[in-house]
């Protein structure tokens, strides 16, 4: 049990920013029965936060006084009838894209460009290069804090741009995705194009949380950030990427406070320059 339930586990290693404090308890179930039992047996009233690949999250330096449920080991991907792929929450998006390609199934190529897990992607309605989870998801299986398991058809999640309106007391266990038959070579070609587009437009191989602020129908966040003169701005060990100015990079041992303060500085400058209050896309967790 010792590797499954831990106390005071440092979370920095589990996030892309590589910053942040510890959580009070850390639970990493190996299957959904184990998670259900944990939720049913749990004695205290601590908050629970589901963590995926940590690619869209900033954990504050004082840590999180609650329970982190880490989905990494619930990572099975299976093929059902009619080209439907079921992927557990902890499966990485890139693995699901490769699984679909290996079965000559098209439609999930965009997942190769998102460095998160299926659970995080469902929560964020992640998208890239012309598609998003909303376009390919059929339904999701989820568990709540009382151990109840339920399947939700996609429309009950009310997915929209980087938003999922299902009550956050539900944690995703798996999702089913539709695909269509395709030619393996063409699918592979599309995936390669996406990887190369990503390399050209985003910083790669760096400690970052991806897009920091949300776009909306009227503006792209990066354009407002650029217009406000924030490209390359530094605060401590954190900076706004020169390559894609909606990315914050931990370039020199930044802590989470510096990253958050830099984000707030950008919001302030953008507001002064354009009158727009940017909304964080990155989820911020923990004690101030
Ligand atoms: C270099 C880089 C590039 C990126 N490019 C893109 C991009 O092109 N498009 C895009 O959309 N995003 C992009 N992102 C952001 C990020 O990869 C996505 O939002 C991703 O889907 C988050 O998944 P995750 O597993 O890392 O989630 P985490 O960061 O671990 O968590 C994000 C949110 O999802 C919730 N969550 C995670 N698992 C579950 C679960 N099982 N049940 C319920 N909630 C859960 C968490 O509680 C949290 O609220 C990028 C990030 C980086 C670092």
């Amino acid at each position: 049990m010792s590797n499954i339930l831990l106390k005071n586990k440092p979370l920095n290693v589990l996030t892309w920013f590589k910053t942040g404090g510890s959580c009070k308890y850390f639970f990493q179930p190996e299957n959904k029965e184990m998670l259900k039992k944990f939720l049913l047996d749990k004695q205290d009233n601590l908050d629970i936060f589901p963590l995926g690949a940590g690619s869209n999250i900033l954990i504050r330096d004082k840590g999180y006084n609650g329970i982190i449920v880490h989905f990494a080991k619930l990572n099975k991907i299976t093929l059902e009838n009619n080209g439907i792929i079921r992927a557990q929450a902890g499966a990485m998006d890139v693995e699901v894209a490769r699984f679909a390609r290996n079965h000559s199934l098209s439609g999930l190529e965009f997942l190769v460009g998102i460095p998160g897990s299926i659970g995080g992607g469902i929560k964020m309605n992640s998208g890239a290069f012309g598609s998003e989870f909303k376009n390919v998801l059929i339904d999701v299986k989820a568990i709540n804090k009382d151990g109840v398991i339920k399947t939700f058809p996609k429309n009950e999640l009310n997915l929209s741009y980087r938003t999922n309106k299902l009550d956050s007391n539900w944690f995703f266990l798996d999702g089913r995705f539709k695909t269509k038959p395709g030619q393996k070579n063409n699918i592979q070609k599309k995936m390669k194009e996406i990887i190369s587009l990503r390399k050209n437009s985003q910083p790669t191989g760096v400690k970052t949380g991806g897009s920091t602020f949300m776009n909306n129908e009227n503006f792209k966040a990066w354009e407002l950030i650029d217009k406000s003169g924030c490209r390359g701005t530094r605060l401590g060990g954190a900076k706004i990427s020169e390559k894609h100015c909606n990315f914050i990079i931990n370039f020199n041992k930044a802590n989470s406070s510096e990253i958050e303060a830099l984000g707030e500085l950008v919001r302030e400058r953008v507001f002064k320059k354009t009158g727009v209050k940017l909304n964080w896309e990155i989820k911020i967790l923990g004690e101030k």
Side-chain angles (χ1 to χ4, degrees), residues 8-158:
N8 299 325
K9 163 129 179 105
L11 297 173
N12 56 347
V13 288
L14 297 175
T15 73
W16 268 62
F17 274 125
K18 297 284 174 271
T19 61
S22 306
C23 57
K24 183 144 191 181
Y25 292 103
F26 178 84
F27 183 64
Q28 192 178 59
E30 282 167 3
N31 51 53
K32 69 172 188 295
E33 291 73 28
M34 206 178 249
L35 175 56
K36 182 170 177 164
K37 185 169 181 334
F38 173 78
L39 294 168
L40 288 172
D41 292 352
K42 182 172 66 66
Q43 299 291 325
D44 47 47
N45 255 340
L46 289 171
D47 284 344
I48 302 176
F49 187 86
L51 184 65
S55 65
N56 215 201
I57 193 154
L58 179 68
I59 292 171
R60 291 197 172 112
D61 300 315
K62 287 189 184 159
Y64 174 60
N65 188 29
I67 304 166
I68 292 282
V69 173
H70 193 221
F71 280 85
K73 289 192 174 165
L74 296 183
N75 59 8
K76 280 200 196 83
I77 308 169
T78 46
L79 183 59
E80 301 189 343
N81 291 335
N82 302 320
I84 293 173
I85 291 177
R86 184 188 291 273
Q88 286 189 321
M92 295 299 289
D93 295 346
V94 61
E95 293 301 333
V96 178
R98 288 180 186 143
F99 181 93
R101 176 204 57 201
N102 293 347
H103 289 85
S104 300
L105 294 170
S106 175
L108 303 185
E109 294 87 344
F110 75 101
L111 291 177
V112 80
I114 306 175
S117 67
I118 289 298
I122 297 171
K123 174 72 181 182
M124 302 301 299
N125 185 28
S126 298
F129 306 105
S131 198
E132 57 185 358
F133 270 66
K134 187 182 172 184
N135 298 341
V136 289
L137 195 61
I138 299 170
D139 54 27
V140 302
K141 200 186 284 163
I143 187 165
N144 71 9
K145 293 180 180 178
D146 301 318
V148 177
I149 295 180
K150 193 176 159 187
T151 297
F152 294 90
K154 173 181 69 179
N155 60 359
E156 289 188 27
L157 308 180
N158 281 316

Side-chain angles (χ1 to χ4, degrees), residues 160-203:
S160 58
Y161 173 71
R162 304 298 171 264
T163 309
N164 177 328
K165 296 215 175 72
L166 189 70
D167 183 328
S168 60
N169 285 320
W170 288 98
F171 311 137
F172 304 120
L173 292 168
D174 68 39
R176 293 197 315 145
F177 298 89
K178 62 181 176 197
T179 64
K180 47 187 187 309
Q183 291 222 331
K184 207 183 255 184
N185 284 349
N186 293 343
I187 297 169
Q188 176 65 13
K189 193 167 158 238
K190 199 165 170 193
M191 282 165 60
K192 271 191 157 174
E193 277 165 16
I194 290 173
I195 292 167
S196 128
L197 280 171
R198 226 190 111 197
K199 279 195 181 139
N200 291 335
S201 60
Q202 294 178 2

